[in-house]
Each structure stands twice: as C-alpha cells, then as structure tokens.
Amino acid sequence: MSTAVAVAMMGDGESVVAGAIEAHPQLALVRRCADLAEALALAHAGMVGVAVLSDQPRLNRAVLADFTAAGVAVVAVPTTASASSELRALGIEHVMDADADPVTIADRTATVAHTLVPAAAAPESAPAAPAGDGVVIAVWGPTGAPGRTTLAVNIAAECAAADDEAIVVDVDTYGGAVAQALGLLDEAPGIAALARASLHGTLTDDVLWRHLLSVDGGFKVLSGISRADRWPELSRSALDGIWPVLRRHSPVTVVDCGFSVAQDEAAMYDTRAPQRNGATLSALGAADVVVVVGSAEPLGIQRLVQGLAELDEVAELMCPRIVVANRVRSSVAGRHPEEAIADALARYSGVENVWMVPADGKSCDAATLAGQSLRERVPRSPARRAIAVVAAAALAAAQESRAELTPVSESPRAVAATLTD
C-alpha cells in the first residue's frame, strides 16, 4: 500500500522531486501544493501521511506543530547548504542534504512513511527527557492568587544559593508578576523575545543571554508579557523549543505558570485555534516536578482540591508533584491549622504529604517593597525557612525524576533535616 505525499517546495527543483515521488512504487503523490497553507489543509483533512517541504519564510515551529498534530511526518529539502541547519533548528528530524538527488529524496520519504505510527496506536509512555542536565520546576496553583509568583521567585533564590545559578521564567498569560515582584521595570518581556526566536529556529545562546536579567540574590529572570492581551506571543510550539536551551544553560529553571489548564479551544472553533493556556501546558509538560500551591483558607483549599483534580486530567503532566499550603494561620483554619489542612487534602485529594508555609505578611511585604527575595531581605523569616524546605524537596524530586528514579517520598520533616542555614 502506497503512502500519500504532498509536496510544497520552492525553487526550480520542485518538479523533479515531485516526479521522483510520483514514480516511487511505495509513494502516491496527492498534490503539488502552491504554498504551506494548501499542504496544511491536506494534512488536516487526513489526505496525506508525509509532507515534503523546502525552507520558506512561513515555515516555523507553529506550522510544524500543526503537521504533527495532524499525524503527518515532514521531510525537509533545503534549497541551500546554510538552510539545512536552519531547518534542523526548527526541530525537523528528517532533513535532506542540499545536494541530494530527487531519487534519494523519494527513497528517504518512503523510509519515513514506512515508520509512521497511527495516532491511536502510539504508545502511551513518557517522552524521552530533553538534552541537558538542568532540571525544570514548574510552580502552579489554582485561581485566586495563592502565591505562585512568591513561591517561584523564592524557590529560585534558594536553588541559586545551593547551585550557584538558577533562572525564574514567567509564562503566566493572565497576570504575570515576576518582574514586578523583583522591582524590574523592563518593558521588553524576555520570554516573548525567546518565543519569537524559538518559533523561527533562531534561538541561540546569544539570544538567551541578551534577554536574561540579573537580580540580587544570584539568579536570573526571564520576564513575562507586560499585558495580558499579548498571550498569543507565547504559543506552545514556541515555548517547547525553549526548555531544552534553558536546561543546557542553568542547573535549575523555575517556571511561574498561569492558573488555567483548560483545553477547550476545540469546542469554540471549527479550525485549529491558538491556546491561551498553551504556555502553562508547555511548562507542565517539560517539568521534572510540579509545585502545586494553594492558599490556606477554606475557599483556597477548596480551589486547591479542584485544581489537583484538573491536573490529573492534563496528559502532559507525567512527573511528581509537591503540594504546598501557603499563608497557613490559625485565624482562618482553626487552632491546629496544619493538621486541619493536611486532613482535608488527604481526605479529598489523597495527598499524603503537604508542605506548609506560614503566613508572614510583614516579611513578604518588606521583600516586595525592596524588590528582593525573602532569603536576601528577611533570611530569618518563618516563611523563608519553610520555602527553603519546599525548594530542597522540589530540587530533590526533580533530580530523581530526571534520573528516572522513584519520586521523592520523604516527609517534610525529613527533608528539612537535610537543610543547613
């Protein structure tokens, strides 16, 4: 049985490549497309299994993600030698040599077609870990400002003190506040600049370092979008290409995520639509551990229980979690707030270990006013000491997850015992 192929190439070589594919006994040329849009339409209609593309201005990670979502493999035929590296930078696996003859291109296309696996038959296993030694810690929490940004910034500060370097990344598409929390007034969001470079395959080390902001405390910041209406700039396909780069250049990357993990675009649009929550889903998919934070009052705990249930339905999330109750205080949770919160989460979400961060508004206010982390501004703060325990637990869980070992299962007290001030 022959595999249906679409050709969308620019340049004089298009006709001979199309002829070689049409003459190949294992391939069936469906159409010689005028542009990428026509090839994508065929892919979405399920009419082709492989698309043969050349380098062209509109080819980027988002387009390739559309082909992948449609179950179509891509074979790239560069028009010049320099274009080969550009196509590989976009994440294309099958890139021909620029001087490859049409018969070789057709044979390679047939080989790719032979290895296609139907989406329904694809194995439901964890994806291979991206290259790089660094770990990614995602900080997520439900709606209601439970303290995601505070936790992300201070976990990054604690990890930087332990590993000499860390990066905190703001991908919240609803209300990113990492830059504001650290007193940064930079109006050019670093994560958006990296996303643009990643989308077009031009993300290099120089681009990364040019947009990293250094702050007191020894860690660096990739600031988030300055306005919520800029969320389309943080597409999932673009962010997926950023995490491997950050892993190579920092031992720890801490990501401040948005609150929503809903994936309801398919119900709202007839065509493939951009995902406002794609940035958060990308971070959760790349994470080695997810720190889930909820506010320690009745409504906050209810939202946390619901949020944990929502995370169970996120297919991208295949890593351990650490659950944190933030702003714990007896005035709203009773005489023994830690026990009440732990009992509620164990009963309704099956959470065995809960890391508690006590309410310490005075210290947090002082750190926010100074644009510093708690470690730097109020090192003896009870909240800072508790977050140091969370950071140690998250780092240990991330490293174990990265090494494909059993996820961390120590109690908070056991992890705290390993810390030194």
Side-chain angles (χ1 to χ4, degrees), residues 61-62 173 195-196 198-199 230-242 274-275 277-279 282:
R61 284 184 178 270
T173 55
R196 286 192 295 272
S198 173
L199 191 65
R230 296 183 62 179
W231 66 264
E233 297 180 39
L234 303 185
S235 67
R236 180 170 183 172
S237 54
L239 264 65
D240 285 344
I242 295 176
Q275 289 184 315
N277 305 321
S282 175

Side-chain angles (χ1 to χ4, degrees), residues 4-17:
V5 180
V7 175
M9 293 178 55
M10 300 177 64
D12 298 335
E14 187 269 348
S15 60
V16 292
V17 171

